[in-house]
Amino acid sequence: MVTTPPATTPGRRTEPTAGPTLRTVLGDLAPEQLGVCDAHDHLFLASPQLPGQELADPEAAAAELRAFRAAGGAAVIQWTPHGMGRRATELPRLARESGVTVVAATGLHQAAHYAPEFLAGLADPAALFVAELTEGIGPDRGADAPHARPRAGMIKVAGGFHGLDRHARRTMTAAAEAHRATGATIGIHLELGTGALDVLDLLCGALGVPPHRVVLGHLNRSPDAAVHRMAAEAGAYLAFDGPSRAHHATDWRLPDAVAALCDAGFTDRILLGGDTTTAGARSVNGGPGMPYLLHRLRPRLELAVGTDAVERMLRANPARAFATNWP
């Protein structure tokens, strides 16, 4: 049986003796403690593809977490991977002060988000991923600061537009190796929601990762019901994450896409998230931000599939998707 912390200290380290747990920035957590979860979002993010829109302000991140908590949120899975301004050492403080459980990511995004010399310097990405999942993110600060290096709780990698380039194949191969060493879930950025079946062919076919350890992100950006159905039948989790953007067919088609999956018996495969990637998109800066998931998206989905189904998407599904038996 998993030993659980008091309800007043979300995300606090537990000392599990058996069963799967979620690895948060404050320690391992029993799945039943996760609560309402934004299954894909960002507190910190920096990329040359988004100049001037960096998520780099800790106090803005703190305010966003408070707003999410006030809306009824309890947990955030932060998908920001290695080398993209995660500011991982800020995450434990933000989790403690906000009362919101935070799960951090290791992994690598598309090559376009990094300088070529940065990627050339990564001789063994799998070893990096394993170290961040098991030892901690950032330099070792010694035994006098045991929580200074929060551990990652998932692996994030990325595909390309309707395919997988050499970088994607390299990082997914490393992610599969790290999964085999740790059991960690692999989250996939699908470019504009495409390439889901190619990812499953590589990760779950050629590389042998169990489909239920894979989360396919951004499927709302490509509302292809046949692909959604095939991915769900394969056993992967399907993440619908991010509010409307001008070039995405998202919110107005999302209820129908989710309803089709629920009608086909795949309610337990669906995750919901916000994917806040720019400073202007934060709610504290006038954008939709993390609260949008609960203020606006949840009631629309409840009209389409009912309250109980949406509650499972926000609580039980992410708890199951990201929990594992850590070595």
Side-chain angles (χ1 to χ4, degrees):
M1 181 176 180
V2 176
T3 302
T4 57
T8 55
T9 56
R12 176 181 159 189
R13 180 179 293 278
T14 67
E15 296 299 333
T17 58
T21 58
L22 293 106
R23 181 147 289 175
T24 84
V25 298
L26 293 178
D28 292 354
L29 188 72
E32 59 269 22
Q33 286 194 286
L34 186 66
V36 172
C37 180
D38 178 342
H40 181 174
D41 225 310
H42 302 273
L43 292 168
F44 298 105
L45 180 72
S47 167
Q49 300 296 304
L50 298 168
Q53 283 294 323
E54 294 81 3
L55 298 177
D57 182 352
E59 297 316 308
E64 196 71 8
L65 284 174
R66 290 193 297 269
F68 180 64
R69 181 73 169 175
V76 174
I77 314 295
Q78 180 181 253
W79 285 40
T80 308
H82 178 72
M84 292 189 67
R86 285 174 295 182
R87 303 197 67 161
T89 57
E90 297 279 358
L91 297 178
R93 174 184 68 84
L94 292 173
R96 281 192 298 268
E97 293 179 357
S98 66
V100 176
T101 294
V102 177
V103 173
T106 186
L108 290 167
H109 209 316
Q110 295 167 324
H113 293 282
Y114 304 96
E117 57 271 20
F118 178 88
L119 294 177
L122 294 175
D124 191 348
L128 169 70
F129 301 167
V130 170
E132 293 194 334
L133 290 160
T134 60
E135 301 170 21
I137 301 170
D140 189 348
R141 300 190 179 189
D144 59 329
H147 302 299
R149 299 178 68 211
R151 290 179 293 183
M154 66 163 294
I155 306 164
K156 186 259 186 73
V157 288
F161 183 59
H162 286 288
L164 302 175
D165 61 15
R166 180 182 301 176
H167 173 80
R169 290 181 178 276
R170 180 189 185 218
T171 57
M172 289 186 192
T173 300
E177 184 176 338
H179 162 78
R180 285 191 289 272
T182 64
T185 295
I186 303 172
I188 310 295
H189 166 96
L190 297 176
E191 185 65 19
L192 296 181
T194 67
L197 302 183
D198 298 275
V199 169
L200 294 179
D201 284 347
L202 176 60
L203 274 180
C204 305
L207 298 173
V209 176
H212 71 281
R213 296 287 85 195
V214 176
V215 176
L216 299 168
H218 305 318
L219 286 169
N220 47 301
R221 299 182 189 178
S222 180
D224 186 326
V227 170
H228 295 177
R229 175 73 175 263
M230 293 169 73
E233 288 176 344
Y237 284 94
L238 283 62
F240 294 86
D241 39 42
S244 286
R245 297 163 182 169
H247 59 300
H248 297 159
T250 56
D251 291 358
W252 61 279
R253 300 185 75 166
L254 180 57
D256 288 341
V258 169
L261 286 167
C262 291
D263 289 344
F266 296 113
T267 303
D268 290 342
R269 298 288 98 192
I270 301 171
L271 305 178
L272 303 173
D275 192 32
T276 307
T277 58
T278 63
R282 276 185 163 147
S283 66
V284 296
N285 292 329
M290 291 182 180
Y292 179 92
L293 173 66
L294 304 179
H295 277 320
R296 295 287 178 253
L297 186 57
R298 177 166 60 182
R300 294 186 67 197
L301 291 178
E302 288 174 343
L303 286 174
V305 299
T307 300
D308 290 346
V310 176
E311 188 76 357
R312 286 157 64 186
M313 297 172 200
L314 290 170
R315 290 179 181 267
N317 293 1
R320 189 173 60 253
F322 293 101
T324 195
N325 290 296
W326 299 94

